[in-house]
């Protein structure tokens, strides 16, 4: 089987509700996504998607994906898409770094492998685990009432884990946390995600003021070294997100005891091939994971859900479905939020 053609489509994904990260940064009311179709000489077509959260969130931008695929595609024509590691080595030889560009191509190859073998990707990722996967609510920053309103929408969908964006001001953040924690039900858990907005002193003031057994704090400060210092001076579990760009970052975090969990963003670390390697390392070393896409639609969510479906429940905190956040549908079927769990929607 050989790759015969690679097609690229740009899709604008309007958000249901305008979204901003901590401190009002990274405001977005739509996402710019790239959907890729890989065709083969045997008539099998695979689909992939790549979508950064705008241009200011991480070292990635939407037009970069399309430019990078234009660079990479000629190198892949004629190769066997079922050999996902070999395809990845070819991409890494042709273009150093730029992992987020390679993710959509990698996903389309995995889609072909799944179709050819007749197996869901979760089986190819180590085997399906019969477990319900929790979906987390992604709560944009706002007043305590606005944030609780977002949480209520998530609760109404059945979500029991919520990720709340904070990080604008120490006093306001403490008020937000106290209000939100009071509102949660006994079986719920919450992450407060500063997206790197705090200085070390701010992080310590907030984190060492609030107490509750159900809190995780995510990416308190911008750099890895700052987060590591915060880790050593607080007792809440810490999730590293923006610091985790590739496999070696996770190895380093494990060696330094820098976090208890990571946000495994499949697109950012280079797609399913690389995300699976990180997932396996985390399972071996006791690091818990939130698995998510950086953006995109139900196509990108599909890879996230299959990776989660083959990850032990002990190590999986939640997934985030971007499909919950956008107004349009890019594909039939796929995993949709039903009662706080991703369920396959029949085509
Ligand atoms: Mg985050």
């Amino acid at each position: 089987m050989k790759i015969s053609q690679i097609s690229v489509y740009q899709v604008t994904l309007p958000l249901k509700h305008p979204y901003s990260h901590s401190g009002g940064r990274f405001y977005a009311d739509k996402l710019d996504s790239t959907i890729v179709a890989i065709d083969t000489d045997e008539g099998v077509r695979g689909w992939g998607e790549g979508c950064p959260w705008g241009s200011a969130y991480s070292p990635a931008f939407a037009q970069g994906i399309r430019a990078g695929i234009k660079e990479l595609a000629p190198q892949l024509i004629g190769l066997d898409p079922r050999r996902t590691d070999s395809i990845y080595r070819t991409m890494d030889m042709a273009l150093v770094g730029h992992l987020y560009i390679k993710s959509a191509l990698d996903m389309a190859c995995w889609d072909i492998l799944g179709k050819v073998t007749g197996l869901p990707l979760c089986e190819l990722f180590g085997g399906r685990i019969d477990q319900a996967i929790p979906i987390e609510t992604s709560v944009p920053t706002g007043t305590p009432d606005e944030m609780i309103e977002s949480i209520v929408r998530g609760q109404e969908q059945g979500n029991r884990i919520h990720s709340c964006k904070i990080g604008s001001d120490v006093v306001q953040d403490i008020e937000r946390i106290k209000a939100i924690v009071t509102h949660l039900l006994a079986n719920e858990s919450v992450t407060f995600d500063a997206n790197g907005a705090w200085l070390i002193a701010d992080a310590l003031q907030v984190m060492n003021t609030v107490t509750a057994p159900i809190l995780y704090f995510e990416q308190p400060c911008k750099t890895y070294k700052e987060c590591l210092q915060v880790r050593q001076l607080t007792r809440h579990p810490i999730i590293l997100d923006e610091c985790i760009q590739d496999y070696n970052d996770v190895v380093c975090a494990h060696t330094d005891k820098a976090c208890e969990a990571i946000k495994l963003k499949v697109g950012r670390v280079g797609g399913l091939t690389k995300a699976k390697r990180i997932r396996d390392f985390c399972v071996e070393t006791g690091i818990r994971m939130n698995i998510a896409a950086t953006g995109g639609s139900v196509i990108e969510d599909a890879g996230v859900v299959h990776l989660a479906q083959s990850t032990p429940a002990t190590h999986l905190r939640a997934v985030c479905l971007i499909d919950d956040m956008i107004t349009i549908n890019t594909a039939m079927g796929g995993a949709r939020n039903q009662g706080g769990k991703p369920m396959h929607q029949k085509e």
Side-chain angles (χ1 to χ4, degrees), residues 227-246:
C227 290
L228 181 58
Q229 186 171 338
V230 170
R231 162 67 289 146
Q232 291 163 348
L233 295 170
T234 60
R235 59 184 181 82
H236 294 289
I238 286 184
I239 301 172
L240 288 181
D241 181 356
E242 285 89 337
C243 283
I244 303 298
Q245 300 280 336
D246 63 22

Side-chain angles (χ1 to χ4, degrees), residues 57 165 193 195 218 241-242 263:
Y57 170 60
K165 303 295 183 184
D193 184 358
N195 290 109
E218 183 167 319
D241 181 356
E242 285 89 337
K263 181 70 74 71

